[in-house]
Amino acid sequence: MTVREEGELAHKRVLVKVSGEALMGSEPFGLHWPTIERIAQDLVEARLTGAEIAVVVGGGNILRGARVASDGLDRATADHMGMLATVMNALALEKAIEFAGSPARTLSAIPMPTICEPYARQPALKHLARGRIVLLAGGTGNPYFTTDTGAVLRAAELQCDAVMKATNVDGVYTADPKTDPTATRYDRLTHDEALAKDLKVMDAAAFALAREARLPIIVFSIREPGAIASAIRGEGRATTVAP
Ligand code: UDP
């Protein structure tokens, strides 16, 4: 166990994964501005802890490639549309973060230089060092992947200390807590335990990469105000999946 000095952060550079669904609040589709403003405030508060913050934004509130492909469109095109959805979400969150008082930059894995910067590792690291919240849009830039995989990939290459997976529940449970009242929450798990117990922390490709990169994944509820800052301090209700 690591012993930290008082006030020392548990995580100094983190990758926060915000799903598209988190941005739609109680709406059935799209963007819910009060929710986006609240998440933006949480991200700014997290930045004020002193940690460097990169954010991978999903697109499921607008479009999921697999869903559209099941209607007959080819999967690669459907996934391109999904990746574009993540750019729209990132731009919305970027503006909300700036409005909440922190500089922010969107970098897209799909180059669209008239709208935002193309993603490259060195500029991303420079933005982080200058205190900007860096929004990473476009997932991995490739079809057949998810933004969870994009989150773990970027966390590994940007040498983040942890992936903070913001969800609608406050951690990883033995079963789905919405349908099984006997489900209990784990405080801590290893990657191997999560695999052996078949706990769906992230999709399989994302999880395999996290395990290989030995990246901790911290799962917590985005509905809890201040949850991102708490997770950075190593506090609050969450499940930590770590080697
Ligand atoms: N996507 C993709 N490659 C990636 C990341 C995302 O093709 O590297 C597409 C895919 O179609 C996916 C959509 O973008 O369904 C939205 O991403 P995701 O489903 O991961 O969003 P979330 O569930 O986090 O809102």
Side-chain angles (χ1 to χ4, degrees):
M1 195 178 149
T2 320
V3 179
R4 289 195 304 275
E5 301 281 325
E6 202 184 324
E8 192 189 342
L9 294 178
H11 307 287
K12 296 190 176 73
R13 181 184 296 156
V14 297
L15 187 304
V16 183
K17 164 69 206 291
V18 178
S19 72
E21 270 177 22
L23 303 180
M24 68 188 188
S26 51
E27 300 291 322
F29 172 85
L31 302 169
H32 182 244
W33 285 101
T35 302
I36 294 172
E37 282 164 1
R38 189 183 57 70
I39 294 173
Q41 266 163 15
D42 270 13
L43 286 164
V44 172
E45 192 186 314
R47 172 71 198 101
L48 293 176
T49 63
E52 295 178 6
I53 315 279
V55 184
V56 162
V57 193
N61 55 325
I62 300 171
L63 193 141
R64 281 214 169 82
R67 167 76 190 79
V68 175
S70 71
D71 288 339
L73 196 68
D74 73 275
R75 176 68 187 264
T77 302
D79 279 341
H80 287 156
M81 293 162 69
M83 287 187 269
L84 292 176
T86 73
V87 180
M88 290 196 254
N89 284 338
L91 293 175
L93 199 49
E94 179 194 89
K95 289 303 148 208
I97 290 168
E98 285 176 346
F99 192 70
S102 169
R105 282 292 157 84
T106 298
L107 276 59
S108 171
I110 304 167
M112 42 181 88
T114 52
I115 292 179
C116 59
E117 283 183 40
Y119 172 78
R121 179 171 177 265
Q122 292 299 348
L125 288 169
K126 264 188 207 147
H127 288 310
L128 288 171
R130 288 179 185 160
R132 296 171 184 140
I133 295 177
V134 175
L135 296 137
L136 300 163
T140 64
N142 296 290
Y144 293 95
F145 287 99
T146 63
T147 51
D148 273 0
T149 307
V152 177
L153 174 66
R154 297 298 183 233
E157 65 180 320
L158 297 174
Q159 291 164 304
C160 294
D161 302 321
V163 176
M164 309 263 159
K165 185 164 161 66
T167 68
N168 286 331
V169 280
D170 57 359
V172 180
Y173 280 75
T174 49
D176 185 350
K178 283 184 216 131
T179 53
D180 185 346
T182 66
T184 53
R185 192 177 59 85
Y186 293 101
D187 275 335
R188 219 183 153 79
L189 278 165
T190 64
H191 293 86
D192 288 338
E193 281 167 344
L195 269 181
K197 293 180 200 292
D198 197 25
L199 301 169
K200 307 268 184 288
V201 182
M202 286 182 157
D203 66 79
F207 196 73
L209 185 56
R211 186 184 181 213
E212 193 192 327
R214 302 181 64 77
L215 254 173
I217 305 168
I218 298 164
V219 184
F220 60 94
S221 173
I222 191 77
R223 293 181 176 187
E224 196 60 47
I228 306 170
S230 293
I232 287 171
R233 293 193 193 96
E235 299 164 358
R237 264 174 90 81
T239 298
T240 301
V241 185

